[in-house]
Amino acid sequence: MSRLQTSHLSRRKTLLGMLLVEKGLLSSKQLSEVLEEQGRTGKYLGSILVQRGYLAEGKLLEVLAEQLGLPYAHLSTFPVEPAALAKVPVKLATRYRLLALRLENNSLHVATADPFDVQTLDELRLLLNCEIKPVLASQREIQEAIQRHYGVGASAVEQLLDTAIHAANPVAAAEDLTAKADEVSVISFVNQMILSSVGDRSTDIHVEPFDRLLRIRQRVDGVMYEVPVPQDLVRLHPAIVSRIKVMAKLDIAEKRLPQDGRIKVRLDGQELDLRVSILPTTYGESVDIRILSSSMLYSLEQLGLNTDHLEILRTLIHRPHGIIFVTGPTGSGKTTSLYACLTQLNVSTRKILTIEDPIEYQLQGITQLQVHPKIGFSFAQGLRSMLRHDPDVMMVGEVRDPETAEITIRSALTGHLVFSTLHTNDAAGGVTRLLDMGIEPFLVSSSVLCFIAQRLVRMVCPKCQELKEVTPELLRELQAIEVPQNLRYGRGCAACKETGYQGRTAIYEFLMITDELKTLVLRRASSHEIAQAAQKSGMRTLRQDGWQKILRGLTTPEEVLRVT
């Protein structure tokens, strides 16, 4: 760049600072501080403003666009032409940190966060042999758009395919796969895949091979979403699986049997526990990575319980003995609720033991056991040994068989407070499930304190929520009594990825084993009769509890109906 261009840009940046002061976005004192740091470090004025928190990047770019007479674009909603994307290879887009938007004759409109980087724009002009017209956009939106349009890790995939790692038949011997797993590009791709999923608040990453296709999906707020990936990614499937196996310390030579492992990673000071499960399928090995974070441990107050349910649960967990069962399908938050109860009870005067498969989170001060069926260490075997350690509180990860159910119930009858889970559709189904296992009705009625059914529903996005008229059909299906004219819905925005939902909360059903219900249990009444009697006594069903959260603007009727 010539001395004349440098001088011109310097004047432009100084004028930008003065314009920000004129608009009241920056004080004269702040401008002086920033200019002083710029003279000392040589950094861009805008970078210093954003780093110091004086101005948001988006607002800075809007003012800069006004000053330079350039267009400004929000890339989350801006239409991108496929022809423009095809003009710029992913390697160039990633290296120069820009995105092609529109191609007009021989002029290419590209999104950039730094219009002063004339050298990059000149290089791109020479490489593509076309005129470059800059459009201002935030760096974060450019990075997200590159990932969205080119696919996760597209640059790493292109680099790999350029190095002849892809062959007509990518399946190789174990030693070759080890070499593949050590390639920088494979490491880069897997890291990008995990980082992207964590950034999207995913709980699971699924790598699924099919005929001529490798699909990557994320589960966000309980719903599966497909991740855009390069079409040629299927050629790198063995290398990707091998890299994950190396990280999880699994056998990369074994492709015929399922394998389970774990990976410990640190991201932005937060430690994540990644649970890896590998299944052999027709087209290769399918991988599921469950993302667990210590930030997912909640207190009772954070579980989303209504006031009355919270008081009931607080009373129950301080009972000296008995069983509290949490019911629901896989992924409904049962273990999270039990951990919250144990955390509340975790004091030095109590001995707390758990037996789980697997241990989801490490709880300080609580002794946790992992079952190992292959060596004969089952739930039932572990429970017998746990009783010899004089516990006050016990947690059984899941009651799966009659033997475990019977030992769990007898533990409660001998003076222990026990928590456990059952896979049933509602709270009343917990009673019939135990009876179907062969447990005597008198044991159930005398040991169980409460059955708690729960589901997770997505919450309305707080950044794009708006009032919307609700259809009568939905209200009839929910059997709503108190009907407002409008309910809160998410319109869809960049924060919630246009879904209208962000985060989850739980809805509950508390079935207390009262004297009336004990009588019904003793005569082996059906779950329908038990549910009806409980509702007459004041029990709210899952849908009724969901309706209360709908009225509070937390979720929508469609969500409650989806999970119930």
Side-chain angles (χ1 to χ4, degrees):
M1 192 185 298
S2 70
R3 187 176 299 174
L4 182 64
Q5 285 177 310
T6 305
S7 174
H8 178 67
L9 289 178
S10 179
R11 286 198 302 275
R12 283 280 198 183
K13 292 170 186 177
T14 306
L15 287 171
L16 171 64
M18 293 169 64
L19 184 60
L20 290 169
V21 173
E22 285 176 19
K23 288 180 171 290
L25 298 172
L26 197 67
S27 69
S28 299
K29 182 183 177 184
Q30 287 173 327
L31 178 60
S32 300
E33 291 173 0
V34 170
L35 288 173
E36 183 186 342
E37 183 177 338
Q38 185 188 28
R40 192 175 65 253
T41 63
K43 291 181 180 178
Y44 288 138
L45 183 79
S47 300
I48 300 170
L49 287 170
V50 174
Q51 284 172 4
R52 287 187 170 221
Y54 289 164
L55 204 61
E57 185 186 17
K59 196 66 183 174
L60 171 71
L61 290 173
E62 284 180 19
V63 176
L64 186 59
E66 180 187 332
Q67 183 206 13
L68 299 177
L70 295 175
Y72 175 73
H74 290 287
L75 296 185
S76 57
T77 55
F78 196 91
V80 177
E81 291 182 358
L85 283 175
K87 183 81 173 173
V88 181
V90 63
K91 281 191 292 189
L92 290 183
T94 306
R95 184 194 308 161
Y96 292 129
R97 292 182 293 182
L98 47 79
L99 181 75
L101 301 175
R102 192 167 70 252
L103 187 62
E104 289 180 338
N105 299 323
N106 199 40
S107 296
L108 183 67
H109 298 256
V110 297
T112 176
D114 185 8
F116 297 121
D117 190 358
V118 179
Q119 185 177 345
T120 291
L121 298 178
D122 284 344
E123 284 181 18
L124 197 63
R125 187 179 292 110
L126 290 170
L127 286 167
L128 300 179
N129 193 27
C130 65
E131 196 62 33
I132 303 298
K133 293 190 175 181
V135 176
L136 290 188
S138 79
Q139 191 60 63
R140 180 184 59 81
E141 287 193 354
I142 291 171
Q143 289 295 111
E144 289 177 354
I146 289 173
Q147 180 175 301
R148 187 165 61 248
H149 292 291
Y150 289 103
V152 173
S155 178
V157 171
E158 189 170 289
Q159 182 182 343
L160 267 172
L161 295 174
D162 284 345
T163 57
I165 283 183
H166 63 296
N169 179 11
V171 179
E175 54 271 19
D176 295 327
L177 288 181
T178 308
K180 287 182 184 180
D182 288 336
E183 288 289 336
V184 174
S185 295
V186 176
I187 294 171
S188 173
F189 175 80
V190 173
N191 288 350
Q192 286 181 47
M193 179 179 72
I194 294 171
L195 285 170
S196 169
S197 298
V198 172
D200 290 339
R201 301 178 295 104
S202 305
T203 54
D204 290 87
I205 309 167
H206 297 267
V207 181
E208 305 163 313
F210 297 97
D211 186 24
R212 300 185 183 89
L213 169 70
L214 182 65
R215 183 169 69 175
I216 295 180
R217 293 192 291 171
Q218 301 171 348
R219 189 178 292 279
V220 182
D221 293 333
V223 178
M224 295 282 272
Y225 295 97
E226 190 153 349
V227 178
V229 293
Q231 289 184 346
D232 290 332
L233 188 65
V234 66
R235 299 178 181 180
L236 307 176
H237 172 238
I240 292 167
V241 174
S242 293
R243 172 59 188 162
I244 294 169
K245 283 182 176 181
V246 168
M247 293 173 73
K249 297 179 175 61
L250 299 176
D251 183 358
I252 62 172
E254 180 55 73
K255 300 186 187 69
R256 300 165 301 167
L257 296 173
Q259 294 189 68
D260 294 302
R262 62 193 297 177
I263 306 167
K264 285 274 189 183
V265 296
R266 186 172 290 276
L267 178 62
D268 296 332
Q270 181 186 10
E271 194 171 275
L272 300 175
D273 190 7
L274 310 181
R275 302 297 171 84
V276 178
S277 178
I278 296 178
L279 292 175
T281 71
T282 308
Y283 298 105
E285 292 174 291
S286 178
V287 182
D288 173 67
I289 303 174
R290 172 156 288 191
I291 303 169
L292 300 172
S293 165
S294 56
S295 64
M296 295 170 70
L297 285 172
Y298 298 103
S299 65
L300 289 181
E301 291 74 20
Q302 294 173 313
L303 290 178
L305 292 154
N306 286 327
T307 308
D308 57 340
H309 281 167
L310 182 59
E311 289 306 311
I312 292 171
L313 188 56
R314 277 182 177 149
T315 303
L316 286 171
I317 66 174
H318 286 96
R319 295 282 289 271
H321 54 81
I323 303 178
I324 298 169
F325 278 110
V326 182
T327 74
T330 301
S332 59
K334 301 186 296 296
T335 304
T336 300
S337 295
L338 291 183
Y339 278 172
C341 294
L342 294 181
T343 303
Q344 184 81 17
L345 294 170
N346 188 14
V347 293
S348 59
T349 55
R350 287 194 185 93
K351 172 75 171 179
I352 303 177
L353 293 174
T354 76
I355 180 164
E356 307 166 61
D357 184 25
I359 297 172
E360 296 285 349
Y361 301 101
Q362 302 290 339
L363 301 174
Q364 190 69 29
I366 294 175
T367 305
Q368 297 172 270
L369 285 70
Q370 165 79 51
V371 302
H372 292 285
K374 289 181 180 177
I375 59 173
F377 186 52
S378 62
F379 276 110
Q381 177 69 34
L383 270 168
R384 291 191 188 94
S385 300
M386 286 165 64
L387 289 171
R388 291 193 283 272
H389 279 249
D390 188 30
D392 299 294
V393 179
M394 301 164 65
M395 186 188 103
V396 182
E398 183 187 345
V399 170
R400 300 175 180 172
D401 54 77
E403 188 180 12
T404 304
E406 186 171 349
I407 299 171
T408 302
I409 284 175
R410 294 198 181 278
S411 300
L413 291 174
T414 53
H416 303 91
L417 180 64
V418 184
F419 297 89
S420 191
T421 68
L422 281 170
H423 284 283
T424 62
N425 290 326
D426 57 10
V431 177
T432 51
R433 177 84 177 103
L434 290 175
L435 297 179
D436 288 344
M437 284 185 182
I439 305 301
E440 292 296 331
F442 75 89
L443 290 176
V444 176
S445 63
S446 57
S447 63
V448 180
L449 301 174
C450 180
F451 289 94
I452 304 171
Q454 70 175 73
R455 299 288 189 279
L456 293 176
V457 292
R458 292 182 292 174
M459 299 172 71
V460 175
C461 177
K463 295 186 179 177
C464 65
Q465 60 180 349
E466 61 183 9
L467 290 175
K468 184 178 171 183
E469 193 172 347
V470 66
T471 61
E473 292 78 16
L474 276 175
L475 297 173
R476 278 197 297 271
E477 196 167 351
L478 278 167
Q479 299 175 342
I481 301 171
E482 181 186 350
V483 182
Q485 187 174 357
N486 297 307
L487 295 174
R488 289 198 183 277
Y489 280 82
R491 183 178 61 257
C493 65
C496 62
K497 296 191 177 295
E498 307 301 326
T499 62
Y501 298 99
Q502 190 176 34
R504 287 191 290 179
T505 189
I507 56 176
Y508 296 92
E509 184 176 280
F510 276 64
L511 189 143
M512 302 290 294
I513 303 298
T514 60
D515 290 338
E516 181 186 357
L517 291 188
K518 284 180 182 179
T519 305
L520 291 174
V521 172
L522 288 170
R523 67 175 180 84
R524 295 180 179 270
S526 66
S527 59
H528 179 68
E529 288 179 81
I530 292 170
Q532 281 189 325
Q535 287 178 56
K536 287 177 184 175
S537 301
M539 181 189 80
R540 282 199 308 276
T541 64
L542 287 166
R543 284 194 176 181
Q544 289 167 344
D545 195 54
W547 180 246
Q548 290 200 359
K549 288 182 168 61
I550 292 168
L551 293 177
R552 288 164 54 192
L554 297 177
T555 188
T556 64
E558 290 84 351
E559 263 301 286
V560 173
L561 290 172
R562 181 180 70 86
V563 301
T564 60

